[in-house]
Amino acid sequence: MSDDEKNRANAITHPGFSSRPSARQKEITMVRPVAQRLTGRLEMCGILGLLLHNASVDAAPEISEGLSLLQHRGQDACGIVTCGPKGRFFQCKANGMVRDVLDEKAIAKLIGGMGVGHVRYPTAGSSDHAEAQPFYVNSPYGIVFAHNGNLIDSPSLLQYMDATAHRHINTSSDSELLLNLFADNLQKTGKFRINEDDIFTAIGGLMRQCTGAYACVAMLAGFGIIAFRDPNGIRPVGMASRRTNTGRDYLFASESIVADALGFSEWEDVKPGEAVIITRSGVSKKRVAAHATFAPDIFEYVYFARPDSVLDGISVYRSRMAMGDALAVEVERVLKERGITVDVVIPVPDTSRVAALNLAQKLKLPYREALIKNRYVGRTFIMPGQQMRRKNVRRKLNAMALEFSGKNVLLVDDSIVRGTTSEEIIQMAKDVGAKKVIIASCAPPIRHSNVYGIDMPSRTELVAYGRNTEEIAEAIGADLVVFQTLPDLITSVRQFNPSISTFDCSVFTGEYVTGGVNEEYLHRLESLRADNVKNKVAVNSREGQSEGNRVNGFHTRVNLAASGGPVNGADDTVGLHNTWNIS
């Protein structure tokens, strides 16, 4: 056996981490609230995995750069775990933006030629620091895991973890649950050293157990990086490669823009139900799940993805151009019916710009950038707290009176969710002298929850819930609202890849492709998502810092007979040492 093979064997069986619980863990066992045990936490995220052929070059700088390109997918927390010599993992993660958490000092401590990165926005439950990803388990073999999506069968899976697998889930995150399901399936091999076939078998077992949406990137100590996607392909993930002097580097990412910016080529989407394993010896791919309806989430194209990305063979930019063309036809029809004329088309920055320009050109109307954005304020749609969203709209945008005063204005937005942003912008337009404000949405009315990993408020918080178009206009203060039709939206996206026959349009239709979503599930999910619940958990978390009987905001009990088994959590006191903010 060569030295490299010995190191690899030692890394897999002895990752180099202590599994001994800290003093704090010996004294306290956390009891999670029932609501959080019943429904896992949705993750609206960006994921990334990188393997450099030259193991002596650190991967962290490029992973950090890649995460900054995925920052639009989550601004609450970020993290990187790398794998260095002898399979040792190095971690830095915390709440905050990529530029703040992963500074030069932090990146310098992340050693190793392969790693996994993650950006996250909290979409249900708390936004606890312990839920920043990637997650880690030391048994078996040492696994690091990052995930984008949501499981809808968390209650039964948690029961399985407790009663059968005997694995402790330390947070309310579905990502940690998925990691431990993967680890449990790998454990069943009972092998000293595993191979690609064992990993494929484990992922296949996981997919038979889980229902929901998940795009995942994992790293096995001293072995390689892994990516897989749920059988319906709801959440995106793809791979690319880059030739170097010593061999090929490989990348997994949520969006193709990461590959473009980092100099990778041959972008290829991971197929639904497929797993891909990459080591320095090569690439292995296998479909590990039964065939199911391929249904990528259409809201990725409407709002979430960057316009310069290509997802499942569809250019996000081209699809938004087509949305603008189709919306122009609907706007023209409605305006003619109402006898209203429009003087100028103004986009609500940034996502709607592409569609608004095409709409203006098709209607032969002036296009003006009259809402000026402060680029140092985050996206209001993914800001926690309704009050904070309202306050940030006016901080984020300024209406130029020059283009609004005395005019009938057509505002174009990608979608109308809560209506908070739309209402504030319409009022801003009227404050600077607009005669009439018409708003056109590139998406149909959103009346249902997204359960597959994009944050939507509870149904009662959606402005379109229980309202027709006229009532929506009244609620947000518009003179008229025009929505894209669902058939036109689907055609706008599908025309660029006709092989995709179905999209997940559940936020518009309430039809969930995976099944298993009933009223009871939606009520549980909404109870976690409600802004007042999020704020309450955040307050409890802060109080827990000064209360001896709380940890992370949850009531605790003394446990005198602490477990000495493997620790599977994500907090600073659990699992890997976190180098964030350590000088």
Side-chain angles (χ1 to χ4, degrees):
M1 183 184 288
S2 68
D3 288 341
D4 286 345
E5 288 171 326
K6 287 177 183 175
N7 287 340
R8 178 170 153 182
N10 287 336
I12 292 176
T13 54
H14 305 290
F17 302 111
S18 170
S19 63
R20 291 174 295 182
S22 68
R24 183 180 176 208
Q25 289 165 309
K26 288 179 180 177
E27 292 172 0
I28 295 173
T29 297
M30 183 161 59
V31 179
R32 283 169 290 155
V34 173
Q36 285 192 291
R37 292 187 65 85
L38 286 174
T39 305
R41 187 168 163 246
L42 247 126
E43 300 292 344
M44 186 169 75
C45 309
I47 57 175
L48 192 155
L50 178 64
L51 184 145
L52 303 180
H53 189 269
N54 186 350
S56 65
V57 177
D58 290 340
E62 285 195 291
I63 296 175
S64 177
E65 185 178 349
L67 291 179
S68 70
L69 294 163
L70 296 176
Q71 187 78 85
H72 60 286
R73 299 188 70 89
Q75 301 174 9
D76 179 70
C78 62
I80 295 176
V81 178
T82 58
C83 185
K86 297 184 180 180
R88 181 168 183 180
F89 289 144
F90 298 84
Q91 169 184 264
C92 179
K93 62 179 184 175
N95 286 352
M97 304 280 278
V98 172
R99 65 173 180 260
D100 299 321
V101 174
L102 300 169
D103 58 17
E104 188 176 348
K105 187 186 296 184
I107 291 171
K109 292 181 169 69
L110 298 173
I111 300 166
M114 66 176 174
V116 170
H118 188 270
V119 291
R120 185 208 71 188
Y121 170 72
T123 51
S126 77
S127 51
D128 199 297
H129 174 78
E131 296 191 3
Q133 293 187 47
F135 284 126
Y136 157 76
V137 289
N138 61 10
S139 175
Y141 314 117
I143 308 167
V144 169
F145 197 88
H147 155 248
N148 174 29
N150 180 54
L151 300 179
I152 61 175
D153 56 348
S154 298
S156 61
L157 294 173
L158 281 167
Q159 175 65 23
Y160 172 80
M161 285 286 102
D162 286 343
T164 305
H166 308 307
R167 299 186 74 90
H168 173 64
I169 308 301
N170 193 61
T171 71
S172 59
S173 171
D174 276 351
S175 306
E176 191 191 3
L177 181 55
L178 270 167
L179 166 59
N180 278 274
L181 284 167
F182 179 42
D184 180 58
N185 278 283
L186 276 180
Q187 189 83 58
K188 291 173 183 175
T189 65
K191 288 186 175 182
F192 176 64
R193 285 194 293 273
I194 57 173
N195 56 35
E196 281 85 349
D197 286 339
D198 297 320
I199 296 171
F200 285 135
T201 299
I203 297 171
L206 176 151
M207 288 190 182
R208 286 189 295 274
Q209 290 173 290
C210 296
T211 303
Y214 46 90
C216 306
V217 174
M219 177 169 59
L220 206 58
F223 189 91
I225 57 175
I226 304 157
F228 57 92
R229 194 176 181 190
D230 70 79
N232 297 109
I234 298 170
R235 297 264 68 82
V237 65
M239 61 177 290
S241 63
R242 177 179 64 190
R243 184 172 294 282
T244 68
N245 294 331
T246 59
R248 277 197 173 273
D249 301 334
Y250 289 94
L251 170 79
F252 292 126
S254 295
E255 296 185 30
S256 64
I257 177 58
V258 180
D260 296 339
L262 297 184
F264 285 75
S265 59
E266 300 176 23
W267 175 264
E268 181 182 352
D269 297 284
V270 176
K271 296 178 177 61
E274 182 180 52
V276 182
I277 302 168
I278 299 177
T279 68
R280 291 192 173 89
S281 302
V283 179
S284 303
K285 301 179 184 178
K286 186 176 181 179
R287 186 179 183 96
V288 296
H291 283 273
T293 302
F294 180 26
D297 190 342
I298 204 164
F299 210 68
E300 289 276 358
Y301 303 95
V302 172
Y303 172 82
F304 204 35
R306 276 180 55 140
D308 44 356
S309 285
V310 177
L311 305 179
D312 293 308
I314 299 171
S315 162
V316 176
Y317 181 80
R318 294 289 184 191
S319 70
R320 289 178 185 168
M321 289 177 67
M323 289 175 207
D325 289 337
L327 184 58
V329 174
E330 182 67 10
V331 166
E332 188 173 37
R333 182 189 69 79
V334 174
L335 290 179
K336 188 175 181 181
E337 275 182 7
R338 302 295 180 93
I340 298 174
T341 59
V342 167
D343 300 310
V344 64
V345 175
I346 297 172
V348 177
D350 284 316
T351 319
S352 64
R353 278 194 171 118
V354 177
L357 181 57
N358 268 49
L359 180 147
Q361 290 172 342
K362 196 170 184 71
L363 295 180
K364 296 181 172 56
L365 289 170
Y367 170 89
R368 297 289 184 266
E369 296 273 357
L371 290 168
I372 308 304
K373 183 178 179 181
N374 174 3
R375 299 189 178 278
Y376 302 98
V377 177
R379 298 174 107 181
T380 57
F381 170 67
I382 60 173
M383 282 183 177
Q386 182 81 328
Q387 200 170 9
M388 186 182 294
R389 274 186 294 272
R390 251 179 220 285
K391 190 180 292 183
N392 272 281
V393 172
R394 292 204 177 230
R395 289 177 180 171
K396 181 179 179 180
L397 295 173
N398 182 57
M400 286 202 305
L402 181 68
E403 296 293 351
F404 283 96
S405 183
K407 297 178 181 178
N408 290 346
V409 175
L410 176 62
L411 296 175
V412 178
D413 207 348
D414 52 77
S415 57
I416 301 174
V417 185
R418 291 177 174 89
T420 306
T421 301
S422 302
E423 183 182 5
E424 289 294 319
I425 290 172
I426 290 163
Q427 188 58 53
M428 285 165 60
K430 291 182 175 180
D431 288 346
V432 293
K435 283 201 302 184
K436 286 184 183 294
V437 180
I438 299 102
I439 187 161
S441 167
C442 294
I446 296 171
R447 295 190 168 101
H448 304 275
S449 295
N450 184 301
V451 303
Y452 295 134
I454 290 181
D455 185 34
M456 293 284 175
S458 64
R459 288 165 292 179
T460 55
E461 291 180 283
L462 296 167
V463 71
Y465 182 76
R467 292 186 175 101
N468 60 29
T469 303
E470 289 73 22
E471 290 167 336
I472 295 168
E474 184 180 355
I476 63 177
D479 294 282
L480 179 66
V481 175
V482 182
F483 287 100
Q484 183 93 269
T485 69
L486 184 56
D488 282 348
L489 175 60
I490 293 171
T491 300
S492 298
V493 181
R494 185 174 181 265
Q495 65 181 288
F496 300 104
N497 186 355
S499 67
I500 301 177
S501 60
T502 306
F503 290 89
D504 172 60
C505 301
S506 53
V507 295
F508 311 121
T509 66
E511 298 170 3
Y512 299 95
V513 66
T514 61
V517 179
N518 55 29
E519 198 63 28
E520 182 186 1
Y521 173 82
L522 291 172
H523 279 306
R524 287 202 306 264
L525 184 63
E526 288 171 354
S527 72
L528 288 181
R529 283 176 163 177
D531 283 335
N532 60 344
V533 174
K534 280 189 191 175
N535 292 338
K536 183 178 178 181
V537 172
V539 169
N540 286 345
S541 250
R542 289 192 294 271
E543 289 173 354
Q545 295 172 11
S546 60
E547 290 182 22
N549 66 332
R550 287 179 179 264
V551 173
N552 293 332
F554 304 121
H555 288 290
T556 60
R557 61 180 173 83
V558 174
N559 180 17
L560 297 176
S563 168
V567 175
N568 300 323
D571 193 74
D572 283 343
T573 61
V574 182
L576 294 180
H577 172 65
N578 192 353
T579 61
W580 179 70
N581 214 17
I582 303 295
S583 58

